[in-house]
Amino acid sequence: MSKRPFRLGIAGVGLISEQSHIPAALGLPGVELVALIDPVTARAAAAARTFRIGARAAASVADVADGLDGLLIASPNNTHADLACAALERGVHVLIEKPLEVSVARGERVAEAARRAGRVAAIGYVTRFRDNVLLLKDLIDGNHFGPVIQYAYQFGTPGGWPSLSAYTLDRSIAGGGVVMVSGTHFIDRALYLFGMPDSHRYRDDSLGGPEANACIELHHAVGGHAFTGHVRLSKTVRLTGGLVVETRDGFLLARESNDTPLRFRPHQRPDLAHDLTSDRDFGYPRGMGVFQRQLLNFIAACRGEAAAAVPVEDGLASLRLIESLYRSREPLPEDPGLAAATTAGAAA
Amino acid sequence: MKKIVIVGASGLVGSEFTERFLGRSDVEVVPLIHSSGSAWRLARRALPLRQVDLLDPAQLSAALAGATHVVNCSRGSDAVMLEGFGNLLKAARAAGVRKFVHLSSVAVYGDPPPPEARVENAPTRPAPGSYGATKLRQDELLQQAARAGLPAVALCPPNIGGPYAYFHLQLADGLRQGSLALVDGGTNPCNTVDVGTLAWTMEQALDAEVNDGRRVFVLDPELLSWAEVFAALRAELAGLKEPRPVAADEVRRRTAEPVVSLASSLLRPLSGDVREALRRDRRWAAVEAAAKGLVLRLPAGAKEFLRERFASPPDVPYWNPDSRLAWRALSQQLRTVRHEAGEARRLFGTPPALTARGSIARFAGWYRRMIEPSGDYALIRHLE
């Protein structure tokens, strides 16, 4: 017997919805996109016309909740809890774009609402669904190349992702700067791959506004085995994005890309580059994009057929670590060369 | 007190100019941005950034209320750079600003620029539809506005260098990847200005006795040749490859616009895709099948003659040592003109003593600190 279509709503019709979530939903068999919710209903209606779908445009979750099985929330960070709680209280499962919220306290409201309602609350850390991340996790957990010795990660884009409402530049709405806006993806992956660090050091360049550059040290101890990860994030310079994990046997390289294979360079011959693929599918159809994998997993979790790959507890763990980082903040030293040039000739 | 509205404040020059006034009590700056994407350099300082669309005159006049000076560093689509720029000039006139400082470009002289472009009043000949043509139209609009009473000046920088500068980043990346070469020994001048020198000059221009919208070159003192620029970068940064020599004629040949003739345009419809589509027409398919049948019935010698005469030769995998070269970037080295900064010195004074070499050192210090994977991030080198 074929299943009834999964009736999905999307709250927040901004860039990420238009570019990724709506196309992913429309391209997945068995999903019916029935509602687009945005305080600017004209935007929602325009998106429905653009994609030539009959989804209802609405201003609030309450207007459409009765007809929904699940709600994907892709609105500014500080609106996630209110939207999620409104949906959960009406028995609607939620998939929330990263990060879960702007603070642990607000995130806990969602976790509590999901527990009370007995509904799924999953977090949209979409990079978890990459083949290279799934395989890396499998290899690290299996100790395949020996224990981890250290790792380094970096990601930087000069600007990028200009949100329609510019909320990412407002600390009170986004919950932070580069760490919260784009770094949160790796914070989640670091927890997934290596577990919660025992201690950390955190530096950023905030001078009152959202930090544009941040350097993080994460000190882990797994079963008596200690190692450190170094993470740097930037919104002002382009940095070759990716993770390098040094293990006993060599280096595992995962580029910041949805479709680049995991690579291994042995210690004895670092000039040799082995691209690693696995015959295992890790539960997702081969060739399916990460946004569709994420939605597929969410729907399976709503139907009780699988566990949510990124449950709300993982979203809370990321927020706890980010809050802890911000609490321990040290300033990154300003570039003396820049300061000199800025003031040069000022008195002329 | 001055109230300076900076349009396009999140770009390289706009950010540098905005940062000059931090902590200054004699100036109020109003940074205007188009989108949030590249505004992080300023946003971290908790500056009150305001999003404004130059195509919206009402937004503009609100943003310019009370402004004494306007500095335009904006870029964008042709609509923004022409219609939006026109709106900005109107709003500035309406606000009664004391000086409008506009960022022009040496691209207005064309590529390559004529030898007369040593000085500002040389003929301007940008290719139609090019960036230079749009910048030239802006300069003309500025001069019209100046004639109508808006005190204005256009500063005209060549390649802009220093920290964050795309020009120096592109050279460093190109030398690292081996995609840059020295054209005819790299003896032609590399016209540059450090972004700090440019920002200093922009500040001087706010009060300078020049109001007619004229264009003024802004340059590094002591310009270098391309060979000297590459050598200075390689001395500062590790891992940059030595650029190999390439002849100017080769660069000209590789970057020449293809000549489109009427005959080649007519033959284009006979490409494989078009023929494939035509085959779906029964009558065309019948004609093609008949022609093929005719050829097959020809004597072997005739068929061989046709094959040798008309068939493409087999593919040969020629190894091309130049395949990695960024020919478009190399074409900059064909420019022989050395712009002169006499007018800028006369109008604005002598800038802080930051030479082209000093600009490269400043860029390299920033690059080592922000980008190079060293120290704690040395592992990242394995990704490259």
Side-chain angles (χ1 to χ4, degrees), chain B residues 11-159:
Chain B
L12 169 68
V13 181
S15 295
E16 184 84 13
F17 186 71
T18 304
E19 287 177 352
R20 277 189 75 77
F21 298 98
L22 297 173
R24 298 250 305 257
S25 57
D26 57 329
V27 173
E28 178 191 353
V29 290
V30 181
L32 305 186
I33 61 171
H34 173 62
S35 82
S36 60
S38 55
W40 287 79
R41 179 173 162 189
L42 296 180
R44 74 187 184 98
R45 300 178 178 277
L47 296 177
L49 302 175
R50 184 166 175 174
Q51 264 187 298
V52 170
D53 182 355
L54 293 187
L55 296 173
D56 185 334
Q59 276 187 30
L60 266 177
S61 43
L64 264 59
T68 59
H69 297 76
V70 172
V71 172
N72 178 43
C73 311
S74 65
R75 281 187 69 162
S77 64
D78 273 4
V80 168
M81 289 177 69
L82 296 177
E83 187 188 335
F85 183 64
N87 292 339
L88 180 61
L89 290 171
K90 271 186 210 149
R93 280 187 65 197
V97 302
R98 301 208 294 264
K99 182 64 69 66
F100 189 105
V101 177
H102 170 62
L103 216 55
S104 179
S105 164
V106 294
V108 299
Y109 295 97
D111 189 12
E116 305 92 295
R118 286 178 298 103
V119 290
E120 288 87 343
N121 60 4
T124 47
R125 295 195 199 100
S130 66
Y131 171 72
T134 308
K135 292 300 285 181
L136 179 60
R137 183 67 194 130
Q138 282 191 322
D139 288 2
E140 290 163 357
L141 290 170
L142 184 78
Q143 282 159 17
Q144 277 173 23
R147 283 194 293 275
L150 177 70
V153 63
L155 300 184
C156 190
N159 289 309

Side-chain angles (χ1 to χ4, degrees), chain B residues 255-323:
Chain B
T255 55
E257 295 295 329
V259 179
V260 181
S261 67
L262 184 62
S264 67
S265 305
L266 289 173
L267 283 172
R268 192 160 299 145
L270 294 178
S271 69
D273 286 351
V274 174
R275 287 205 311 273
E276 185 60 37
L278 285 172
R279 268 183 214 122
R280 290 181 201 149
D281 180 279
R282 269 189 304 139
R283 281 162 299 183
W284 178 270
V287 170
E288 194 173 351
K292 250 187 203 164
L294 205 64
V295 170
L296 286 173
R297 281 197 293 276
L298 289 172
K303 275 194 281 196
E304 185 70 3
F305 172 79
L306 287 175
R307 194 180 60 77
E308 287 173 4
R309 187 83 172 73
F310 295 110
S312 309
D315 283 340
V316 174
Y318 291 108
W319 181 71
N320 180 3
D322 295 338
S323 62

Side-chain angles (χ1 to χ4, degrees), chain A residues 159 205 207 232 255 333-334 341, chain B residues 19 37 44 362 369 371 383:
Chain A
D205 67 352
L207 293 170
R232 69 174 173 178
R255 280 191 171 272
E334 288 290 302
Chain B
E19 287 177 352
R44 74 187 184 98
R362 213 160 77 83
R369 182 172 171 271
I371 297 179
L383 276 180

Side-chain angles (χ1 to χ4, degrees), chain A residues 209-226:
Chain A
E211 76 280 356
N213 292 278
C215 294
I216 308 169
E217 281 173 35
L218 298 172
H219 304 288
H220 301 264
V222 179
H225 169 66

